[in-house]
Amino acid sequence: MISIGLVLSAGGPLGDPWHSGVLGRLQEVAGWDARTADLVVGTSAGSITAVTLRAGVAAIDRKIHMVGGPISPEAEEIYARIVTPYTEPEAERDWRPASPKMALRAAWPPWRVDPLRLATGNMPRGTRSGEPLETRMNELMPDGWPDQPLWITAVRMSDGRRVVFGRDDVRGNIGQAVRSSAAVPGAYRPGKVGEREYVDGGVHSSTNLDLAATLGFDLVIVSSAMTAAPGSRSWITDPSRAWFSSKLDDEVAEVRARGTAVLVVEPDGETLGDLDKTAAEARANATNAGAASVDRALSGSDGAGLTELIRRATADQ
């Protein structure tokens, strides 16, 4: 039996549409149902996609939904669980540093400075609230954490350590985990579980792919909206995307060194522009960009072998 892990990256407002395009296209071309993944790891926007899959919505329905098409009655029934309107209530800005302790840990020792944690700890808390998102995710998964493995990443404000909801010995329901994972520093107020506060898991890594390194999967599929394909990266025009790309390269090497095949689907020069738009059609554009990037990824030198591996996993379903 072929085992597959699925890793869904951060990506801002267009991250979820991107992932929907990627996974829907994989279902179209290889027959693979992402709901059957042996593990789903979600970071920030990817945590929303991950929860929706574990709630039972098929990837092809997600893809169709994002471009405004009709979805299956099964998907309609699942989406109908969500009754809370999506809003982002705002509070007055607290200009004090969010976590001096995190910043201090990130700056010492000086030869191992972590720039993202350093910036996160020094910047003020965001103003927007993720409480409606938390409520909606709990409505989508009314029975709580699923039996199938679902890991949602966040970073603890008190010390800057990565926390993996659904794996680590930490409290938190589905909604709290997603709210924490998607709490973009400086934009959203941190998520909270008990007295502990958490921010976006992307502060550690846009994908957190390293979590799958030692698990012995035959294949890990990575949908990465915040990186760029080799040849489309620039430290001058888009240093943040280049930073996340470099980190992902290291994580991919770590997983492959353990004998696991990795399929990375990320934007290239032709699709990057579709992830920078804010117009009304941006969601559909990002979805289609994700789908097109699957075709590009599978047309490479390793594409035939990876496609066959996915189809073998599909046959096992």
Side-chain angles (χ1 to χ4, degrees), residues 86 88 125-130 179 182-191 199:
Y86 184 76
E88 294 183 350
R125 282 173 168 77
T127 59
R128 285 181 272 178
S129 171
R179 178 180 179 178
V184 178
Y188 291 86
R189 298 201 294 274
V199 289

Side-chain angles (χ1 to χ4, degrees), residues 11-30:
L14 298 182
D16 187 26
W18 164 272
H19 298 316
S20 299
V22 168
L23 300 179
R25 185 58 178 160
L26 279 172
Q27 189 167 357
E28 290 172 340
V29 301

Side-chain angles (χ1 to χ4, degrees), residues 5-314:
L6 175 62
V7 174
L8 304 169
S9 78
L14 298 182
D16 187 26
W18 164 272
H19 298 316
S20 299
V22 168
L23 300 179
R25 185 58 178 160
L26 279 172
Q27 189 167 357
E28 290 172 340
V29 301
W32 183 64
D33 186 342
R35 294 175 296 183
T36 67
D38 295 277
L39 168 67
V40 182
V41 178
T43 296
S44 198
S47 70
I48 299 172
T49 312
V51 169
T52 307
L53 289 171
R54 286 306 195 218
V57 180
I60 192 65
D61 276 316
R62 294 282 288 159
K63 178 174 180 286
I64 293 171
H65 178 68
M66 290 294 178
V67 297
I71 58 178
S72 69
E74 177 188 20
E76 290 276 13
E77 184 177 351
I78 295 170
Y79 279 132
R81 299 173 188 166
I82 302 175
V83 297
T84 300
Y86 184 76
T87 58
E88 294 183 350
E90 292 207 37
E92 186 176 350
R93 174 81 71 182
D94 180 350
W95 290 100
R96 293 174 298 177
S99 178
K101 187 175 181 180
M102 182 197 295
L104 182 61
R105 284 177 175 265
W108 189 265
W111 57 87
R112 294 183 60 187
V113 172
D114 185 321
L116 287 183
R117 283 177 171 83
L118 180 61
T120 298
N122 280 322
M123 71 175 59
R125 282 173 168 77
T127 59
R128 285 181 272 178
S129 171
E131 184 175 357
L133 174 63
E134 176 181 329
T135 301
R136 287 165 62 89
M137 291 295 98
N138 283 330
E139 290 170 347
L140 187 62
M141 295 283 283
D143 297 326
W145 288 91
D147 294 332
Q148 295 171 293
L150 169 64
W151 294 357
I152 295 174
T153 67
V155 170
R156 195 163 54 204
M157 287 289 288
S158 61
D159 57 9
R161 293 187 182 278
R162 177 175 63 185
V163 170
V164 184
F165 290 97
R167 185 201 69 170
D168 296 348
D169 185 19
V170 293
R171 295 182 298 161
N173 57 42
I174 290 282
Q176 290 171 323
V178 173
R179 178 180 179 178
S180 298
S181 185
V184 178
Y188 291 86
R189 298 201 294 274
K192 197 168 185 179
V193 181
E195 295 302 312
R196 292 190 179 276
E197 291 184 319
Y198 301 87
V199 289
D200 199 312
V203 171
H204 180 83
S205 162
S206 66
T207 62
N208 289 282
L209 170 61
D210 62 298
L211 293 173
T214 63
L215 300 180
F217 293 122
D218 295 295
L219 171 66
V220 176
I221 296 172
V222 185
S223 177
S224 180
M226 291 191 71
T227 60
S232 301
R233 304 170 182 174
S234 173
W235 286 97
I236 298 174
T237 61
D238 198 342
S240 64
R241 194 174 288 276
W243 165 271
F244 287 123
S245 297
S246 177
K247 191 170 182 66
L248 176 58
D249 287 346
D250 291 341
E251 293 174 337
V252 168
E254 181 181 357
V255 175
R256 286 178 174 159
R258 304 269 183 169
T260 297
V262 182
L263 170 63
V264 177
V265 182
E266 57 190 341
D268 64 358
E270 294 183 6
T271 52
L272 277 171
D274 291 313
L275 296 178
D276 296 330
K277 296 178 180 177
T278 57
E281 69 272 14
R283 188 168 75 166
N285 288 341
T287 304
N288 292 329
S293 293
V294 169
D295 293 338
R296 177 181 54 77
L298 293 179
S299 66
S301 58
D302 297 329
L306 291 170
T307 301
E308 178 59 27
L309 201 57
I310 296 169
R311 286 176 175 160
R312 285 172 57 194
T314 301

